[in-house]
Amino acid sequence: MTDTNLTAVLKKKGEISLEDCPIPDPGPGEVQLCMQHVGICGSDVHYWQHGAIGDFVVKAPMILGHEASGVVSKLGPGVTNLKIGDRVAIEPGVPCKTCQQCKKGRYNLCPDMKFCATPPFHGNLARFYVHAADFCFKLPDHVSTEEGALLEPLSVGVHACNRAGVTLGSRVLICGAGPIGLVNLLTAKACGAAEVAITDLDQSRLDMAKKMGANHCLKVTTKDPREMAQKIEEAFGGEQPEITIECSGATSSVQTAIYATKSGGCVVLVGLGLAEIPLPIVNAAVREVDIRGIFRYVNCYPTALAMVASGKVDVKPLITHKFKLEDTIKAFETTARGEGIKVMIECVRS
Ligand code: NAD
Ligand code: ZN
C-alpha cells in the first residue's frame, strides 16, 4: 500500500476538512516525521470556531495541531542529532535563531517565530510532517508518544513556574483547573511547592485537580475578587500564597490573583482573556506584588521531558479522550463541548 498523507486542514472559520496532501520532504536541518499523537489545544478549537486569535487571523487554509509527537521517517541533509526510527516530541515553535531575542536565549519572543498552527504557519495534525531537527526531542523507550505530545502543555507549566520562582516550600495559588492549570499544578508540586490551591467554576475540573495532587480545591462562587481572596487565604490557614499562577484569563480571576497574593509576592499571567481589563493596580503597586506575563515557553522541553522520564510528574491522567485522525472533527466537537481535559488524536493509520 502506498503511503498517503491524510491531513486536518482548517479551510476557513468553522470548516475542517480531512484531505490527502502531498508527503513533504525534509530540507537541510529538517526531519520528516511519521506523526504519532497530537493533542487538541483550546487555541486549535478557537481558530476553528472564530477564525482568529487576536491579531492572528486565518486568511488561508491552515493545517491544525501543535501538541505533537512523531517517529523520524527521513533525514534532511546535515541532520546528525537524530536517526530514522527515533521517537520524538516536537517543540512546535521554530524561531529565526539570529535576532537579539534568539541570541539572548529568549527565543519565545522572536518576532520571526514560525509556530505550528498559528497563522500563517501550518500545524502537524497529519500522517506526515516536516520539522527542524533541533526542535525535536528524542523520547526514551519508556516514555510514550502520548506523553511526548503532552510535553507541549507541560512546557507551559515549566515556563510559568520558572517565571514565578516556584521552589521548595512555596505556597502557590493556581486560578483555573483546565489543562494549563493542571500542568502548572503538576509542575509546582514537582518543584517542591509545599501547598497548592486551585480554583475553578467547574466542580469536575476541581475533582481532577484533587486527584492530581492539589491540596485545596476552591469552587469560585462569587465575582467579588476580594471575597474570593479571603476564601483563598482561609484555605491556606490564614496566610496568603506568595505565588499565584493565573490560568483562566477571566477578568474577576485576574483581579482575585492580585488580591490573593502575599505582599512582595508574584502573579504570573498565563491565561489570556480580554485585551484590556480593570485591575487593582494600586493594590499590587503598594504591596510590591509583581505581575509577570509568560508567552509559551523557552528552553523548557528538556526539563519537561526529564520530569516525565524520571517519573517526577505523571501527565497520563490528563488524557480523557482518544480519537483517530479520521475522526478529527468529532475530536474537535468533543473539545469544544468542554468535555474532559485533554483530547488526544492518534495519527498513525491502523
Ligand atoms: P480552559 O478553558 O480549558 O481552562 C480554563 C479554566 O478556567 C476552565 O476550567 C474554567 O472553568 C476556569 N475558569 C473560568 N473562569 C474562572 C474564574 N473566574 N475563576 C477560576 N477559574 C475559572 O483553557 P486551558 O487550555 O487550560 O488554557 C487556560 C488559559 O491559558 C487560556 O486563556 C489560554 O489561552 C492560556 N494559555 C496561555 C499560554 C501562554 O503562553 N500565555 C499558553 C497556553 C495557554
Ligand atoms: Zn529570532
Side-chain angles (χ1 to χ4, degrees):
M1 207 178 350
T2 48
D3 277 329
T4 57
N5 188 18
L6 191 67
T7 301
V9 184
L10 178 62
K11 303 293 281 183
K12 58 180 195 304
K13 174 179 158 179
E15 185 188 338
I16 295 173
S17 117
L18 284 159
E19 300 181 354
D20 193 17
C21 295
I23 298 177
D25 252 337
E30 293 180 335
V31 285
Q32 183 194 68
L33 298 159
C34 174
M35 296 302 295
Q36 300 294 300
H37 286 99
V38 179
I40 301 182
C41 164
S43 68
D44 294 310
V45 174
H46 203 91
Y47 281 124
W48 171 49
Q49 292 186 320
H50 303 280
I53 296 180
D55 294 339
F56 294 102
V57 181
V58 180
K59 293 180 181 152
M62 177 181 83
I63 301 168
L64 291 160
H66 64 274
E67 301 183 356
S69 61
V71 174
V72 176
S73 47
K74 229 181 202 183
L75 301 179
V79 173
T80 53
N81 65 320
L82 294 170
K83 55 184 192 317
I84 290 172
D86 281 347
R87 298 152 61 255
V88 298
I90 303 165
E91 179 171 349
V94 180
C96 82
K97 306 175 191 174
T98 58
C99 74
Q100 239 177 38
Q101 296 290 4
C102 281
K103 284 182 162 178
K104 273 198 293 191
R106 297 185 75 170
Y107 65 80
N108 57 326
L109 305 179
C110 172
D112 293 319
M113 173 69 90
K114 293 182 172 61
F115 198 93
C116 288
T118 293
F121 304 106
H122 287 306
N124 46 25
L125 186 48
R127 296 255 200 255
F128 291 95
Y129 166 73
V130 155
H131 200 69
D134 59 337
F135 279 73
C136 294
F137 296 84
K138 185 172 164 28
L139 301 173
D141 291 345
H142 69 285
V143 175
S144 70
T145 51
E146 290 184 338
E147 291 170 295
L150 288 169
L151 296 189
E152 202 281 340
L154 185 58
S155 292
V156 176
V158 171
H159 189 45
C161 286
N162 283 341
R163 293 266 294 156
V166 179
T167 185
L168 283 178
S170 298
R171 277 163 317 144
V172 180
L173 167 66
I174 295 170
C175 305
I180 293 296
L182 294 176
V183 290
N184 274 281
L185 164 65
L186 291 173
T187 310
K189 283 288 200 173
C191 289
E195 249 180 293
V196 180
I198 193 159
T199 66
D200 207 290
L201 307 169
D202 181 323
Q203 188 58 44
S204 66
R205 292 215 149 171
L206 291 173
D207 293 343
M208 177 65 108
K210 188 86 203 163
K211 275 193 213 141
M212 299 189 83
N215 302 91
H216 316 291
C217 296
L218 291 108
K219 187 150 181 203
V220 179
T221 50
T222 170
K223 280 210 158 174
D224 178 346
R226 287 176 191 264
E227 192 182 325
M228 198 57 215
Q230 184 61 37
K231 285 190 183 173
I232 291 160
E233 185 173 337
E234 282 161 20
F236 277 101
E239 222 179 311
Q240 292 185 305
E242 58 270 23
I243 289 168
T244 299
I245 304 176
E246 207 301 312
C247 300
S248 79
T251 298
S252 61
S253 183
V254 182
Q255 294 162 341
T256 298
I258 292 175
Y259 286 125
T261 304
K262 194 172 183 170
S263 296
C266 179
V267 173
V268 168
L269 301 178
V270 182
L272 303 171
L274 296 177
E276 292 185 19
I277 58 171
L279 285 181
I281 206 73
V282 172
N283 180 284
V286 300
R287 296 195 304 109
E288 298 193 1
V289 172
D290 293 347
I291 301 172
R292 301 185 135 200
I294 69 137
F295 189 50
R296 300 170 177 151
Y297 33 74
V298 57
N299 294 311
C300 294
Y301 259 67
T303 308
L305 175 54
M307 282 162 56
V308 170
S310 64
K312 288 271 182 271
V313 303
D314 182 7
V315 284
K316 292 189 292 291
L318 292 168
I319 303 170
T320 50
H321 294 75
K322 296 185 187 188
F323 290 91
K324 303 288 290 181
L325 183 56
E326 292 84 338
D327 296 323
T328 290
I329 292 166
K330 270 190 213 153
F332 270 72
E333 287 166 352
T334 304
T335 316
R337 282 196 299 272
E339 283 174 30
I341 299 292
K342 185 53 72 183
V343 173
M344 189 61 75
I345 297 183
E346 191 188 351
C347 296
V348 280
R349 187 167 40 189
S350 41

